[in-house]
Amino acid sequence: MTNEKILVVDDEVEIGEIIKDFLEMEGYEVVLAFDGEEAIKSFEQHSPQLVILDIMLPKMDGMEVCRMIRSQSTVPIIMLSAKQDDMDKILGLGFGADDYITKPFSSAVLVARVKSHLRRYTKFSTPPIPTNDSIYTFGDVKICFKSHAVLVNKKEIPFPAKEFQLLKYLILNENRVLTKEQIFNHVWGYNDYGDISTVTVHIRKIREKIEKNPADPKYISTIWRVGYKFSKG
């Protein structure tokens, strides 16, 4: 038996209930939502470990719900749609979905995908910062999260607050591609009226400080037409 919680979002009540039954038979706790706004509220209230999200929803479509969830969490998101073209668009535009299933689908396929993503999430979601330590290192870089200090080759480098927050966000999502929209919304916030291009500017400044060759970065990679990814190299 498992105690993972899954949020299922589908405006077709019957489909939502069927998915709920499948997953509860496997021991998962399931929360249902039937429109986009309810999905966001349920996500914030219940903090699920995985989201199954239909693309066609009233009040707020699945793409926007996916984007909003991804801006604050790295939980796996599996999108549902009856149209293959929708799925290609979701993954290609980098909305943050981890997987997709086209309708109609079998219970076996759904459960297998859920188990696979939960295993991967459990394995890789542990924050890279040890709970009993506030220091994170990679290459010649050492970051003291408690004091907001960044040292390169044992020399402290000035890091303004936004640059530090951006770098920390990338690190906490190590090996995950983050869109510029996700980064902007997390670091600057939805209510900020700044230009999203500021993300590119800040990434360039961070690379100049931590990369041996900023033109050929080792740690912060550009994912063409999507965003950026941090890895230890």
Side-chain angles (χ1 to χ4, degrees):
M1 297 295 287
T2 178
N3 60 356
E4 285 104 339
K5 188 181 297 182
I6 297 173
L7 173 62
V8 176
V9 188
D10 200 308
D11 64 327
E12 297 184 62
V13 177
E14 184 178 354
I15 291 179
E17 293 287 355
I18 291 173
I19 295 174
K20 182 175 185 287
D21 290 342
F22 287 154
L23 296 175
E24 287 184 341
M25 288 175 63
E26 296 294 325
Y28 298 107
E29 180 181 348
V30 180
V31 177
L32 289 177
F34 302 104
D35 64 59
E37 292 181 0
E38 185 183 3
I40 296 299
K41 292 177 182 177
S42 294
F43 182 84
E44 293 174 348
Q45 179 181 352
H46 297 283
S47 300
Q49 281 74 56
L50 182 141
V51 178
I52 297 174
L53 178 62
D54 190 38
I55 188 173
M56 297 298 294
L57 296 171
K59 297 186 179 179
M60 183 188 302
D61 68 31
M63 289 187 186
E64 179 65 10
V65 173
C66 179
R67 186 181 68 83
M68 291 184 68
I69 290 175
R70 184 57 71 230
S71 72
Q72 58 183 293
S73 174
T74 61
V75 299
I77 299 175
I78 300 175
M79 302 292 290
L80 302 178
S81 177
K83 296 167 61 180
Q84 178 68 41
D85 289 347
D86 284 343
M87 295 299 111
D88 293 340
K89 184 185 299 182
I90 289 167
L91 297 182
L93 293 179
F95 282 89
D98 296 277
D99 200 355
Y100 66 87
I101 300 177
T102 52
K103 299 177 179 179
F105 52 84
S106 72
S107 61
V109 168
L110 177 65
V111 170
R113 298 281 186 90
V114 166
K115 289 182 176 179
S116 174
H117 283 289
L118 284 173
R119 282 196 302 269
R120 189 176 300 114
Y121 178 66
T122 300
K123 180 178 180 181
F124 293 108
S125 64
T126 303
I129 312 163
T131 56
N132 61 346
D133 197 349
S134 60
I135 296 176
Y136 180 74
T137 61
F138 55 95
D140 298 324
V141 183
K142 178 182 290 186
I143 301 177
C144 304
F145 287 92
K146 187 174 294 185
S147 62
H148 284 210
V150 179
L151 291 84
V152 180
N153 289 319
K154 300 181 180 180
K155 180 181 179 180
E156 185 168 353
I157 306 296
F159 255 77
K162 292 300 183 186
E163 288 180 22
F164 189 89
Q165 291 172 27
L166 198 164
L167 178 58
K168 181 178 180 180
Y169 183 52
L170 290 172
I171 290 172
L172 291 176
N173 290 277
E174 184 176 348
N175 296 317
R176 178 182 287 276
V177 178
L178 298 173
T179 67
K180 291 181 181 179
E181 289 81 4
Q182 287 173 246
I183 295 170
F184 183 83
N185 290 331
H186 181 85
V187 177
W188 282 268
Y190 285 102
N191 296 323
D192 194 296
Y193 293 98
D195 188 338
I196 198 169
S197 64
T198 193
V199 173
T200 303
V201 174
H202 279 69
I203 290 286
R204 175 175 54 79
K205 291 180 178 178
I206 292 172
R207 282 173 170 164
E208 290 172 352
K209 294 175 180 180
I210 69 171
E211 300 277 4
K212 290 184 177 180
N213 182 1
D216 184 22
K218 178 181 180 181
Y219 305 117
I220 302 176
S221 305
T222 298
I223 308 302
W224 180 245
R225 293 185 176 178
V226 179
Y228 301 97
K229 179 179 73 173
F230 172 83
S231 63
K232 288 186 175 182

